[in-house]
Amino acid sequence: MPHATSGPGGRGWLLRLVIAFSFAQGAVSMARPAVSYRALALGADERAIGVIAGVYALLPLFAAVPLGRRTDDGRCAPLLPVGVVLISGGCALSGVAGSLTAMAAWSGVMGLGHLCFVIGAQSIVARQSAPAEQDRNFGHFTIGASLGQLIGPIAAGALIGGDMDRTSALALLVAAAVGAVSLASLWRIEHKRPTSLAPVRAERVPVLGILRTRGVPAGIFVSLAVLSATDILTAYLPVVGEHRGIAPATVGLLLSLRAAATIACRLVMTPLIRLLGRTALLTTTCLVAGLLCAGIALPLPVWGLALALAVLGFCLGVGQPLSMTTVVQAAPDGARSTALALRLTGNRLGQVAAPAAAGLIAGVAGVAAPFVMLGGLLFAAAGLGARKRPGGAEDPRGTHGRAGQRVTGRS
């Protein structure tokens, strides 16, 4: 997959992609807690909340690799509007659903739309960024997700009130409209490459071959752990709030505080990588995040919960962009979109298994117990993150200088 440092039109494509991702992710982040509240209004218990949260990831679990193969062989941009339509449709239909079964189904449609958008968008960033720019560009790209995660829960919390059935339905319909706004930024996102730079059709690398490539499994697991933590926080903090008497508006602010801290992390991630190195940064943040996730199980006051979520959000901000760079740079040539799709498959597998396990644990040990499980998952990610990068080289201080030249030589 050829790379370009900026491409035609400079980095305007990245800004438009970040804006579109902000609205698409904002719709999803607004819808996820609204789905939990609407399910509670329809009589769901903790186990049912876990099942509905897991179905969100079920369809994407089977669709990710075929979509990645398609993207390796052709254009990425067509997946973006398809994703937006599915996200908005899933949000709107969840808002009018009258049963838990229907809500679970439309939650799955929403998850499939999010997958389509993310595979297309991540593949565009990988394809149009030089190796030395990937940490920075993936970091900036994921700011779009964090902006959506910042605004979405606040909006959901502001709309959901005493009549939980009616107001949660309204929040889901508003989320559908928010998602549709992202269509306005999806123009001239993907560059037309000259024939000389077009991807050379080669024999496809088998999925097992990609998974055996050093660095790919570690990147997938780190991403799975970090996303599972974010996902269960989004789905289960409303349930914790209900049990501890915390108002929905306050829960929305707490979730948005976590997202704001993640944005702050990604704005300063490049100097942090230069200061600490990628390995030390990834390992330390996963360890601290694991401790903080386990700490949420304690009966903290609201101010203590806010402080824990702020630090947790900063630490969780590291894992996603660095796992993207790890997978892209480790993957075989001509299979980078498929490798990113496998990373997303791992994410969705975590989003199916983690909420299901969380629902079982919550039903037996209480609603705070799933956060202890997340702590263990993040400790395991820290252990994998401590390993050297592909090729056995020492951890570089960012993808600059000699490290950037080394990757450029094999791209």
Short mmCIF file of all heavy atoms in Angstrom, two decimals, residues 72-110:
data_model
loop_
_atom_site.label_atom_id
_atom_site.label_comp_id
_atom_site.label_asym_id
_atom_site.label_seq_id
_atom_site.Cartn_x
_atom_site.Cartn_y
_atom_site.Cartn_z
N ASP A 72 -8.77 -3.44 0.75
CA ASP A 72 -7.40 -3.66 0.25
C ASP A 72 -7.38 -3.67 -1.27
O ASP A 72 -6.41 -3.24 -1.90
CB ASP A 72 -6.85 -4.98 0.77
CG ASP A 72 -6.16 -4.83 2.12
OD1 ASP A 72 -5.52 -3.79 2.35
OD2 ASP A 72 -6.27 -5.76 2.95
N ASP A 73 -8.46 -4.18 -1.89
CA ASP A 73 -8.50 -4.32 -3.35
C ASP A 73 -9.04 -3.10 -4.07
O ASP A 73 -9.00 -3.03 -5.30
CB ASP A 73 -9.37 -5.53 -3.73
CG ASP A 73 -8.74 -6.85 -3.29
OD1 ASP A 73 -7.51 -6.88 -3.11
OD2 ASP A 73 -9.48 -7.84 -3.14
N GLY A 74 -9.57 -2.13 -3.35
CA GLY A 74 -10.20 -1.01 -4.05
C GLY A 74 -10.23 0.24 -3.20
O GLY A 74 -9.34 0.50 -2.38
N ARG A 75 -11.29 1.03 -3.38
CA ARG A 75 -11.41 2.31 -2.68
C ARG A 75 -11.98 2.13 -1.28
O ARG A 75 -12.66 1.16 -0.99
CB ARG A 75 -12.30 3.25 -3.49
CG ARG A 75 -11.73 3.65 -4.86
CD ARG A 75 -12.66 4.59 -5.59
NE ARG A 75 -12.81 5.83 -4.84
CZ ARG A 75 -13.97 6.48 -4.70
NH1 ARG A 75 -15.08 5.99 -5.23
NH2 ARG A 75 -14.02 7.61 -4.04
N CYS A 76 -11.67 3.10 -0.43
CA CYS A 76 -12.12 3.07 0.96
C CYS A 76 -13.35 3.95 1.18
O CYS A 76 -14.22 3.62 2.00
CB CYS A 76 -11.00 3.57 1.89
SG CYS A 76 -9.37 2.86 1.59
N ALA A 77 -13.41 5.08 0.46
CA ALA A 77 -14.41 6.11 0.75
C ALA A 77 -15.86 5.63 0.65
O ALA A 77 -16.71 6.10 1.42
CB ALA A 77 -14.20 7.32 -0.16
N PRO A 78 -16.24 4.70 -0.28
CA PRO A 78 -17.65 4.32 -0.35
C PRO A 78 -18.21 3.71 0.93
O PRO A 78 -19.42 3.74 1.15
CB PRO A 78 -17.66 3.29 -1.50
CG PRO A 78 -16.52 3.69 -2.37
CD PRO A 78 -15.47 4.17 -1.42
N LEU A 79 -17.34 3.17 1.79
CA LEU A 79 -17.84 2.59 3.04
C LEU A 79 -18.36 3.66 4.00
O LEU A 79 -19.18 3.35 4.88
CB LEU A 79 -16.72 1.80 3.73
CG LEU A 79 -16.41 0.41 3.19
CD1 LEU A 79 -15.24 -0.19 3.96
CD2 LEU A 79 -17.62 -0.50 3.27
N LEU A 80 -17.90 4.91 3.85
CA LEU A 80 -18.24 5.94 4.84
C LEU A 80 -19.73 6.31 4.80
O LEU A 80 -20.39 6.28 5.85
CB LEU A 80 -17.37 7.17 4.65
CG LEU A 80 -15.85 6.93 4.71
CD1 LEU A 80 -15.09 8.24 4.58
CD2 LEU A 80 -15.45 6.22 5.98
N PRO A 81 -20.32 6.68 3.65
CA PRO A 81 -21.76 7.00 3.66
C PRO A 81 -22.63 5.80 3.98
O PRO A 81 -23.69 5.95 4.62
CB PRO A 81 -22.03 7.53 2.24
CG PRO A 81 -20.89 7.05 1.41
CD PRO A 81 -19.72 6.95 2.33
N VAL A 82 -22.21 4.60 3.57
CA VAL A 82 -22.97 3.40 3.95
C VAL A 82 -23.02 3.26 5.46
O VAL A 82 -24.08 2.99 6.06
CB VAL A 82 -22.33 2.14 3.31
CG1 VAL A 82 -22.97 0.87 3.87
CG2 VAL A 82 -22.48 2.17 1.80
N GLY A 83 -21.87 3.49 6.11
CA GLY A 83 -21.82 3.42 7.56
C GLY A 83 -22.73 4.44 8.22
O GLY A 83 -23.43 4.13 9.20
N VAL A 84 -22.74 5.66 7.69
CA VAL A 84 -23.57 6.72 8.28
C VAL A 84 -25.05 6.36 8.19
O VAL A 84 -25.82 6.53 9.15
CB VAL A 84 -23.29 8.07 7.59
CG1 VAL A 84 -24.31 9.12 8.04
CG2 VAL A 84 -21.88 8.54 7.89
N VAL A 85 -25.49 5.85 7.04
CA VAL A 85 -26.90 5.47 6.86
C VAL A 85 -27.30 4.39 7.86
O VAL A 85 -28.37 4.44 8.49
CB VAL A 85 -27.15 5.02 5.41
CG1 VAL A 85 -28.52 4.38 5.28
CG2 VAL A 85 -27.02 6.20 4.46
N LEU A 86 -26.42 3.40 8.05
CA LEU A 86 -26.74 2.32 8.99
C LEU A 86 -26.74 2.82 10.43
O LEU A 86 -27.59 2.39 11.24
CB LEU A 86 -25.73 1.18 8.83
CG LEU A 86 -25.83 0.38 7.51
CD1 LEU A 86 -24.69 -0.62 7.41
CD2 LEU A 86 -27.16 -0.32 7.40
N ILE A 87 -25.81 3.70 10.78
CA ILE A 87 -25.80 4.26 12.14
C ILE A 87 -27.08 5.02 12.42
O ILE A 87 -27.77 4.80 13.43
CB ILE A 87 -24.57 5.18 12.34
CG1 ILE A 87 -23.29 4.36 12.40
CG2 ILE A 87 -24.72 6.01 13.62
CD1 ILE A 87 -22.02 5.20 12.35
N SER A 88 -27.43 5.94 11.52
CA SER A 88 -28.63 6.76 11.74
C SER A 88 -29.89 5.91 11.73
O SER A 88 -30.80 6.12 12.54
CB SER A 88 -28.71 7.86 10.67
OG SER A 88 -27.66 8.80 10.84
N GLY A 89 -29.95 4.94 10.81
CA GLY A 89 -31.12 4.06 10.77
C GLY A 89 -31.25 3.24 12.04
O GLY A 89 -32.35 3.10 12.59
N GLY A 90 -30.13 2.70 12.54
CA GLY A 90 -30.17 1.92 13.77
C GLY A 90 -30.60 2.74 14.97
O GLY A 90 -31.37 2.28 15.81
N CYS A 91 -30.11 4.00 15.04
CA CYS A 91 -30.51 4.89 16.14
C CYS A 91 -32.02 5.17 16.08
O CYS A 91 -32.73 5.06 17.10
CB CYS A 91 -29.74 6.21 16.07
SG CYS A 91 -27.99 6.09 16.46
N ALA A 92 -32.51 5.56 14.90
CA ALA A 92 -33.92 5.93 14.77
C ALA A 92 -34.84 4.75 15.07
O ALA A 92 -35.84 4.89 15.79
CB ALA A 92 -34.19 6.46 13.36
N LEU A 93 -34.50 3.58 14.55
CA LEU A 93 -35.35 2.41 14.75
C LEU A 93 -35.29 1.91 16.20
O LEU A 93 -36.26 1.36 16.71
CB LEU A 93 -34.97 1.32 13.76
CG LEU A 93 -35.31 1.68 12.30
CD1 LEU A 93 -34.62 0.72 11.33
CD2 LEU A 93 -36.81 1.66 12.08
N SER A 94 -34.15 2.11 16.87
CA SER A 94 -34.09 1.79 18.30
C SER A 94 -35.03 2.69 19.09
O SER A 94 -35.62 2.28 20.10
CB SER A 94 -32.66 1.94 18.82
OG SER A 94 -31.79 1.00 18.25
N GLY A 95 -35.16 3.94 18.63
CA GLY A 95 -36.01 4.89 19.34
C GLY A 95 -37.49 4.57 19.26
O GLY A 95 -38.25 4.96 20.14
N VAL A 96 -37.90 3.86 18.21
CA VAL A 96 -39.33 3.52 18.06
C VAL A 96 -39.60 2.06 18.38
O VAL A 96 -40.75 1.63 18.32
CB VAL A 96 -39.82 3.85 16.63
CG1 VAL A 96 -39.68 5.34 16.35
CG2 VAL A 96 -39.08 3.02 15.58
N ALA A 97 -38.55 1.29 18.72
CA ALA A 97 -38.74 -0.13 19.03
C ALA A 97 -39.55 -0.28 20.32
O ALA A 97 -39.39 0.49 21.26
CB ALA A 97 -37.39 -0.82 19.17
N GLY A 98 -40.39 -1.29 20.34
CA GLY A 98 -41.24 -1.50 21.51
C GLY A 98 -40.92 -2.74 22.31
O GLY A 98 -41.64 -3.08 23.24
N SER A 99 -39.82 -3.43 21.96
CA SER A 99 -39.45 -4.64 22.68
C SER A 99 -37.93 -4.71 22.81
O SER A 99 -37.19 -4.10 22.03
CB SER A 99 -39.95 -5.90 21.96
OG SER A 99 -39.24 -6.09 20.75
N LEU A 100 -37.47 -5.50 23.77
CA LEU A 100 -36.03 -5.67 23.95
C LEU A 100 -35.40 -6.41 22.77
O LEU A 100 -34.27 -6.12 22.38
CB LEU A 100 -35.75 -6.42 25.26
CG LEU A 100 -36.17 -5.72 26.55
CD1 LEU A 100 -35.90 -6.61 27.75
CD2 LEU A 100 -35.42 -4.39 26.70
N THR A 101 -36.12 -7.33 22.18
CA THR A 101 -35.60 -8.06 21.01
C THR A 101 -35.36 -7.11 19.84
O THR A 101 -34.30 -7.16 19.18
CB THR A 101 -36.58 -9.17 20.59
OG1 THR A 101 -36.78 -10.06 21.68
CG2 THR A 101 -36.05 -9.94 19.39
N ALA A 102 -36.33 -6.23 19.57
CA ALA A 102 -36.17 -5.27 18.48
C ALA A 102 -35.02 -4.30 18.78
O ALA A 102 -34.24 -3.96 17.89
CB ALA A 102 -37.47 -4.50 18.27
N MET A 103 -34.90 -3.89 20.02
CA MET A 103 -33.81 -2.98 20.38
C MET A 103 -32.46 -3.63 20.15
O MET A 103 -31.52 -3.01 19.66
CB MET A 103 -33.93 -2.54 21.84
CG MET A 103 -35.06 -1.56 22.08
SD MET A 103 -34.85 -0.70 23.64
CE MET A 103 -33.39 0.26 23.28
N ALA A 104 -32.34 -4.92 20.50
CA ALA A 104 -31.09 -5.64 20.28
C ALA A 104 -30.77 -5.71 18.79
O ALA A 104 -29.62 -5.51 18.37
CB ALA A 104 -31.18 -7.05 20.89
N ALA A 105 -31.78 -5.98 17.95
CA ALA A 105 -31.57 -6.09 16.50
C ALA A 105 -31.09 -4.77 15.92
O ALA A 105 -30.12 -4.73 15.14
CB ALA A 105 -32.86 -6.54 15.82
N TRP A 106 -31.76 -3.67 16.27
CA TRP A 106 -31.37 -2.38 15.70
C TRP A 106 -30.04 -1.90 16.28
O TRP A 106 -29.29 -1.17 15.62
CB TRP A 106 -32.47 -1.35 15.92
CG TRP A 106 -33.74 -1.71 15.23
CD1 TRP A 106 -34.98 -1.80 15.78
CD2 TRP A 106 -33.89 -2.05 13.84
NE1 TRP A 106 -35.90 -2.17 14.83
CE2 TRP A 106 -35.26 -2.33 13.63
CE3 TRP A 106 -33.01 -2.15 12.77
CZ2 TRP A 106 -35.76 -2.71 12.40
CZ3 TRP A 106 -33.51 -2.53 11.52
CH2 TRP A 106 -34.86 -2.80 11.34
N SER A 107 -29.72 -2.33 17.49
CA SER A 107 -28.40 -2.05 18.03
C SER A 107 -27.33 -2.73 17.19
O SER A 107 -26.25 -2.17 16.95
CB SER A 107 -28.33 -2.54 19.49
OG SER A 107 -27.07 -2.26 20.07
N GLY A 108 -27.62 -3.95 16.71
CA GLY A 108 -26.68 -4.62 15.82
C GLY A 108 -26.49 -3.89 14.50
O GLY A 108 -25.37 -3.81 13.98
N VAL A 109 -27.57 -3.32 13.95
CA VAL A 109 -27.46 -2.53 12.71
C VAL A 109 -26.58 -1.30 12.95
O VAL A 109 -25.73 -0.94 12.12
CB VAL A 109 -28.87 -2.12 12.23
CG1 VAL A 109 -28.78 -1.10 11.10
CG2 VAL A 109 -29.65 -3.34 11.78
N MET A 110 -26.78 -0.65 14.09
CA MET A 110 -25.95 0.50 14.44
C MET A 110 -24.47 0.11 14.51
O MET A 110 -23.59 0.82 14.02
CB MET A 110 -26.41 1.05 15.80
CG MET A 110 -25.83 2.40 16.19
SD MET A 110 -26.10 2.77 17.95
CE MET A 110 -27.82 2.29 18.18
#
